[in-house]
Amino acid sequence: MGDVGTGGRQGELRRASRPREADLPEFAVVVPGLPPMTNRHPQRQLRRGIGIAGALMAPLSLAWLAYGALSQDGPLALVALIGLAFGIYMLVEYRTSEHRPAPSLALRAAVAMNVTIIAAATAEPLIGASMAVAALIPAVLVLAYAERRVVRRLMVAGVLSGMYAALVPTVLPWASDLGMPWAVLLPTSALVIAYVVFHVFLWNASGQLTAATNELSAAMSLSREVAQTLDPQAVGRIIARHIATAAGASDCALSTWDRADNRLLTYAYHPPERQAVLDAAYDLADFPATRAVLMTGTPFRADVGDPNADLREVGYLRQIGQRSLVILPLVVRGESIGTVELTSDRSGAFSERDIALAELLAGEAAISLENARLYDQIRHQAFRDALTGLANRVLFHDRVSHALNRVRGRRPQRTAVLFLDVDHFKLLNDRFGHSRGDEVLQAVAERVRAAIRPGDTAARLGGDEFAVLLEEVDGPAAAILVAERLLAGLAVPIELDGSLPQVGATIGVALSSAGEESADDLLRNADIAMYAAKAGGRGRVELFHTELLEQAAARSELGARLRGAADR
């Protein structure tokens, strides 16, 4: 998490909780002995639907089996036995399929249901019409989980099974003669069960398709908003907000990995008002579970209520007043560049779907974040001096122009430019070499930066020439005071290759006037003043005045005449 506040591992915070989807009323089907079925967990919801089907079929089939045995009705007993076998199979699937993938589980249940429909209609033609309705269920069961070709095949199988079941009452001669009211009750009960099971799986499919639509909508919304800016800080805030909202988290920290120092840096935080009070970085040596996420690319979960949870992460959660935590890797081109850290003030706050959606958004976000950071680096290189990190000539010129526009017509505020040239820098290069000369320039840049106000601009214009923009100064005295402070700072010897050379500088100062001078004019005036200072003896400050411009113009004209005379 870059250069903004952190997902801080320290500091007491009270997390403001927000309403989550799980706090809102949900459709639920409750069967004794089975947990309520909701639309939040895809594989778990499918298992519950299968369990509901088994819990309905088994006892009803057992009752009809008993009646068939007592009445010595062979077809009725056989169809009841088939229904009982199917109900037991569905209950066994519910109990043993916790770790089975949802597509495989759905396909197995759908095939078993198709076989049961054909067998039941064959055993007892009296329920053929009810089985024709039940033939719709297998395709609906797999709709949200299986591949399209599998769904298509099951739809064809369902059509064939339904047609067969609808025809058997007129084709097969062994239908039971139960008499009233049993002749009505048997097909009616079969139809009711088929109707209920159909709607259970229809609700299941609807919930999965709606969730998929919401996930796609969340990803599109994130991509659309991120596409509107290339500011990396703005991109980070957008990503943190979207992921927190999608996963229902109280807080979301977006962090970048500083591999060299083995730490995480907070790049963005949601809600943003809490970012300022958090640490800007934390050492990964103190949180090995977080480091493991970066190294392996595997999400990590911790909950205060889990006795087996990582003690350091649980301690962190308690410290910030939260109860559950999910850490996801930010991966670009197969490498982790940081993490997304989601926290909530509720235990067990994050479902598998929440985490899957957060991972989806994190995958999309990682690329956008990396692109924004690369753009920022390119932009930085375009406007910053590569050696010193100061503004370059282009950026400095732009800043001076803006400063002049701001003070124009606002007396007595003025803009000042200081033009600084390092004295005898060529001798330093010749003595110590160019690489050591670069170190001198870097040291000069640091001292220039330290001597000015935060709102002012320091630049390296090229070679050993530097410039400083002082915005809204009161007059020449204030600018000269800064120039003298610069000279004093540069006079301190620089440790260089066992030696302590003393670096001096000459500074020219130019201030804006009430006229309409441009940035080029101000820079030219400061440059002229600097050369006048050198002519009067190095290591001093010279304030520009109009006579210096006249003298420079006269020297330039004289030089041109002398060159012309030499040519002639």
Side-chain angles (χ1 to χ4, degrees), residues 121-300:
T122 303
E124 178 54 87
L126 189 61
I127 63 170
S130 302
M131 293 299 97
V133 173
L136 298 171
I137 300 175
V140 173
L141 196 158
V142 301
L143 183 61
Y145 305 98
E147 296 178 4
R148 192 168 182 176
R149 59 184 179 82
V150 175
V151 176
R152 186 167 57 247
R153 290 172 184 174
L154 281 170
M155 290 176 70
V156 172
V159 169
L160 296 177
S161 300
M163 291 173 61
Y164 173 78
L167 291 175
V168 289
T170 60
V171 175
L172 301 180
W174 54 76
S176 298
D177 186 13
L178 298 177
M180 297 298 289
W182 306 108
V184 174
L185 188 58
L186 176 62
T188 301
S189 62
L191 182 62
V192 168
I193 290 177
Y195 185 82
V196 172
V197 172
F198 174 79
H199 278 82
V200 166
F201 287 115
L202 182 61
W203 172 261
N204 183 19
S206 172
Q208 301 312 308
L209 295 176
T210 300
T213 301
N214 291 339
E215 291 171 6
L216 180 60
S217 175
M220 291 179 63
S221 177
L222 171 63
S223 299
R224 184 169 55 250
E225 197 167 342
V226 164
Q228 295 175 1
T229 179
L230 278 173
D231 178 4
Q233 300 304 316
V235 169
R237 289 191 295 270
I238 291 168
I239 292 170
R241 171 166 52 82
H242 274 273
I243 295 180
T245 302
S250 300
D251 289 32
C252 177
L254 194 67
S255 301
T256 55
W257 186 13
D258 181 356
R259 291 174 180 264
D261 293 332
N262 192 36
R263 59 179 185 162
L264 276 184
L265 309 172
T266 301
Y267 199 81
Y269 203 85
H270 181 83
E273 59 269 16
R274 262 197 288 279
Q275 183 174 339
V277 298
L278 297 170
D279 291 339
Y282 61 89
D283 195 337
L284 285 171
D286 297 330
F287 297 92
T290 303
R291 179 172 174 78
V293 173
L294 293 164
M295 298 299 294
T296 65
T298 304
F300 170 81

Side-chain angles (χ1 to χ4, degrees), residues 234-539:
V235 169
R237 289 191 295 270
I238 291 168
I239 292 170
R241 171 166 52 82
H242 274 273
I243 295 180
T245 302
S250 300
D251 289 32
C252 177
L254 194 67
S255 301
T256 55
W257 186 13
D258 181 356
R259 291 174 180 264
D261 293 332
N262 192 36
R263 59 179 185 162
L264 276 184
L265 309 172
T266 301
Y267 199 81
Y269 203 85
H270 181 83
E273 59 269 16
R274 262 197 288 279
Q275 183 174 339
V277 298
L278 297 170
D279 291 339
Y282 61 89
D283 195 337
L284 285 171
D286 297 330
F287 297 92
T290 303
R291 179 172 174 78
V293 173
L294 293 164
M295 298 299 294
T296 65
T298 304
F300 170 81
R301 301 176 72 166
D303 197 287
V304 170
D306 181 4
N308 299 318
D310 185 278
L311 294 180
R312 298 194 184 192
E313 300 292 348
V314 168
Y316 160 62
L317 283 172
R318 293 186 186 279
Q319 184 182 9
I320 63 174
Q322 300 286 274
R323 297 193 60 81
S324 53
L325 163 74
V326 172
I327 303 175
L328 306 173
L330 281 172
V331 180
V332 175
R333 292 183 293 275
E335 290 190 0
S336 295
I337 64 167
T339 63
V340 174
E341 181 183 291
L342 301 167
T343 58
S344 175
D345 53 8
R346 297 182 299 106
S347 289
F350 304 109
S351 69
E352 295 299 330
R353 181 174 292 282
D354 292 332
I355 296 174
L357 179 53
E359 283 189 283
L360 170 69
L361 296 182
E364 294 290 326
I367 298 173
S368 299
L369 180 61
E370 188 68 2
N371 288 342
R373 292 175 61 200
L374 289 174
Y375 171 79
D376 194 51
Q377 290 177 9
I378 294 171
R379 185 172 177 274
H380 184 275
Q381 293 169 2
F383 294 104
R384 295 284 172 178
D385 176 59
L387 178 64
T388 63
L390 299 180
N392 62 12
R393 184 181 292 273
V394 175
L395 179 57
F396 189 75
H397 187 281
D398 184 66
R399 293 273 178 89
V400 173
S401 297
H402 281 86
L404 287 172
N405 290 334
R406 280 195 294 273
V407 300
R408 190 161 286 139
R410 292 176 52 198
R411 287 186 169 185
Q413 297 294 334
R414 303 170 72 179
T415 297
V417 169
L418 281 57
F419 200 104
L420 183 152
D421 185 82
V422 179
D423 292 335
H424 306 299
F425 181 70
K426 185 178 183 307
L427 297 178
L428 279 172
N429 260 345
D430 293 342
R431 178 182 173 188
F432 296 103
H434 287 281
S435 60
R436 292 291 183 265
D438 287 346
E439 292 179 18
V440 170
L441 293 176
Q442 290 171 338
V444 169
E446 285 301 318
R447 294 182 183 187
V448 170
R449 190 185 284 113
I452 62 176
R453 301 171 300 183
D456 296 328
T457 301
R460 180 182 176 222
L461 303 183
D464 59 348
E465 293 181 339
F466 294 81
V468 174
L469 168 64
L470 304 177
E471 299 195 40
E472 299 184 3
V473 296
D474 295 328
I480 291 174
L481 182 63
V482 174
E484 291 175 345
R485 188 162 67 239
L486 282 169
L487 290 183
L490 293 174
V492 178
I494 297 174
E495 185 173 351
L496 196 67
D497 204 17
S499 301
L500 293 172
Q502 190 170 8
V503 177
T506 303
I507 301 177
V509 179
L511 274 80
S512 62
S513 63
E516 293 295 318
E517 72 262 67
S518 65
D520 289 326
D521 295 333
L522 204 56
L523 284 165
R524 178 204 59 201
N525 294 345
D527 191 15
I528 290 173
M530 185 272 295
Y531 278 106
K534 278 187 178 289
R538 298 173 187 268

